[in-house]
Amino acid sequence: MHIKSTTLLYSSFCILTTLLLAYILPFPKTERTQTPPYALTDLAFPRGFLWGASTSAHQVEGSTNNDWTLWEEQHATRLAAEADAKFSHTPRWNQFQAQAAEPANYRSGKAADHLNRYPEDIQLMKQLGLTAYRFSVEWSRIEPRDGEFDAAALAHYQTLAASLKTAGIEPFVTLWHRTQPTWVAKQGEWTNDKTIADFVRYAGKVAEALGPTVRYYMTFNEPELHIGGGYVQGVIPPEQKSLALGNEAFSRMTQAHRDAHAAIHAANPAAQVGSTHAMQLGQASPATTVNTLAQKYLDGFANWKFVDNTLAVTDFIGIQYYGPTQYQVTLGGTGLINVQNSPDPHAPIKSDMGWEVYPHGIYELIMKTAERYSKPIYITENGIADAQDTLRAQYIADHLYWVQQARERGADVRGYFVWSLLDNFEWDKGFWPRFGLVAVDYANNQQRTIRPSAWTYRQIIANTQK
Ligand code: BGC
């Protein structure tokens, strides 16, 4: 008896000490790799490499009516009131503070009016020498009510895709970019099996309507962020705070990808169907064992889980990268523990949103992806919120420098898309972050102006096409 209780005491002591040490002991911090000097003319990509820009329907089209539109109505006032506390640490906040304090900033409304202005936007793409354009089709427009498909909406996207083709621009179509029709939200979206069948029916309809004009499809854009933000943190639609529901929703989305892959192929045997991922380059901060474990688990979830589960029916992988993040495990929060995921506040170069700029990160993520899967890769998003356009040209060139390094080491990267073609509605941040190669003047009838950095991008594209 006496021996037993001593053993118990000793084991408890060991476990507690290990946990404590794991919580505080530092792991070696990974060093940052700088981009060496190079000239724009050193950037060499083969002919046929796709040069693009991305958008999503809800963020640019305007006049959408989906679950996010409802959410914006409910939260605009709160978001306006909270903005200062959330963003005053960002480097150029005084430029955005007033706009961010206005509830109107948080309602997507007319957005960039891309729905009506797409012919002009295609002209802008041509001027910039783009050879590909990634956009999303809006489910709520195409199927406003369960089973009722809107012929005019389908015709709109047919015309958009056909006009792009005529302009020599390859359309890349995303089927789901965060938003859903309100009837899908009401039925519990990805917590309901019915949504799988509904999504597959919708995907098949779109592929039938677009026919041979569209070859590249992405089923889901960043499903991992929908689960993280919508189901675990519960800060965006559908505002759940449940790991169990998040898991369920995630596996339904992977099933929907598998079935949609088949439906799209049935409509268009030449189609290439992939998905896009918010690839994380996490750092534990401080680099304790616990933070490192959290970082490894969450990076693994964000970067690989969806593709691992759908690999047999994934024709290409879309990598989306903006900059690294830091993970810190704290006690309390919404669950027993809380994992904070935020950019390094001490990073030397930061976007208007405070996101760290670290171009070598794109190389690390491409190489890991290429080692893990032998599938074609597209960089489906990479960009920076930079209203004054002082960082964007360098940002794009430096990231392309590292894409090139990855290609030279055998990674099969076939295209690169800047986020974004246009300034747009940045979800719960609203309109103040400016990601566009092309500026949009919301106060002046959504007038477009090409930013100087877009001409640098144009020059890089032209150099590689000589
Ligand atoms: C999303 C975009 C978003 C961008 C910048 C990506 O996570 O796909 O919709 O605007 O990042 O935050």
Side-chain angles (χ1 to χ4, degrees), residues 150-428:
D150 185 315
L154 283 167
H156 167 80
Y157 292 116
Q158 279 166 337
T159 311
L160 171 59
S163 317
L164 287 164
K165 274 279 202 201
T166 309
I169 298 168
E170 187 68 42
F172 270 58
V173 172
T174 313
L175 290 163
W176 183 100
H177 197 123
R178 294 200 181 182
T179 57
Q180 291 64 212
T182 49
W183 60 267
V184 173
K186 273 197 200 114
Q187 71 190 21
E189 54 146 89
W190 301 99
T191 63
N192 184 342
D193 277 339
K194 180 175 178 298
T195 301
I196 302 176
D198 291 339
F199 179 76
V200 175
R201 178 180 61 185
Y202 150 72
K205 279 269 183 210
V206 172
E208 254 167 50
L210 298 179
T213 316
V214 173
R215 184 150 180 248
Y216 296 94
Y217 285 95
M218 287 136 292
T219 51
F220 291 101
N221 177 73
E222 304 182 337
E224 49 283 338
L225 287 198
H226 186 59
I227 302 302
Y231 284 92
V232 181
Q233 294 172 303
V235 290
I236 53 171
E239 294 185 275
Q240 301 290 333
K241 281 189 181 148
S242 157
L243 269 180
L245 284 181
N247 264 327
E248 268 187 42
F250 187 78
S251 54
R252 287 203 182 84
M253 291 175 101
T254 55
Q255 186 59 46
H257 172 95
R258 285 187 215 105
D259 297 351
H261 183 274
I264 296 166
H265 274 268
N268 177 1
Q272 295 287 296
V273 182
S275 52
T276 70
H277 301 282
M279 293 236 174
Q280 300 294 307
L281 188 78
Q283 274 215 325
S285 177
T288 58
T289 309
V290 160
N291 290 345
T292 305
L293 290 176
Q295 174 254 315
K296 290 206 183 309
Y297 174 78
L298 290 170
D299 278 4
F301 171 72
N303 300 354
W304 320 124
K305 194 158 182 200
F306 192 92
V307 180
D308 282 355
N309 291 0
T310 53
L311 195 59
V313 284
T314 286
D315 304 323
F316 67 88
I317 296 163
I319 294 183
Q320 320 208 132
Y321 171 73
Y322 289 85
T325 47
Q326 300 200 323
Y327 292 97
Q328 184 177 20
V329 177
T330 52
L331 297 174
T334 50
L336 259 185
I337 58 162
N338 186 26
V339 185
Q340 317 248 10
N341 180 1
S342 47
D344 180 356
H346 308 296
I349 309 173
K350 289 188 279 188
S351 81
D352 291 345
M353 291 166 80
W355 296 0
E356 177 179 358
V357 174
Y358 181 51
H360 185 261
I362 203 165
Y363 170 83
E364 294 174 44
L365 290 169
I366 295 171
M367 294 313 284
K368 284 184 189 166
T369 307
E371 276 156 27
R372 196 174 177 101
Y373 314 111
S374 46
K375 300 271 180 184
I377 295 171
Y378 293 89
I379 308 302
T380 39
E381 285 181 27
N382 176 235
I384 181 166
D386 176 26
Q388 298 300 317
D389 204 41
T390 52
L391 302 170
R392 188 174 287 104
Q394 186 85 45
Y395 181 100
I396 293 173
D398 286 356
H399 283 79
L400 281 168
Y401 171 87
W402 288 110
V403 173
Q404 177 178 325
Q405 299 303 307
R407 280 184 47 87
E408 283 173 4
R409 283 162 190 75
D412 185 11
V413 187
R414 300 187 181 182
Y416 171 86
F417 295 75
V418 174
W419 182 271
S420 176
L421 176 71
L422 300 166
D423 283 343
N424 59 58
F425 181 73
E426 177 61 13
W427 307 111
D428 56 346

Side-chain angles (χ1 to χ4, degrees), residues 73-93:
E73 268 317 312
Q74 288 162 11
H75 294 278
T77 310
R78 173 182 64 81
L79 292 169
E82 290 173 359
D84 221 25
K86 280 192 201 152
F87 296 104
S88 58
H89 68 280
T90 58
R92 293 165 285 280
W93 184 235

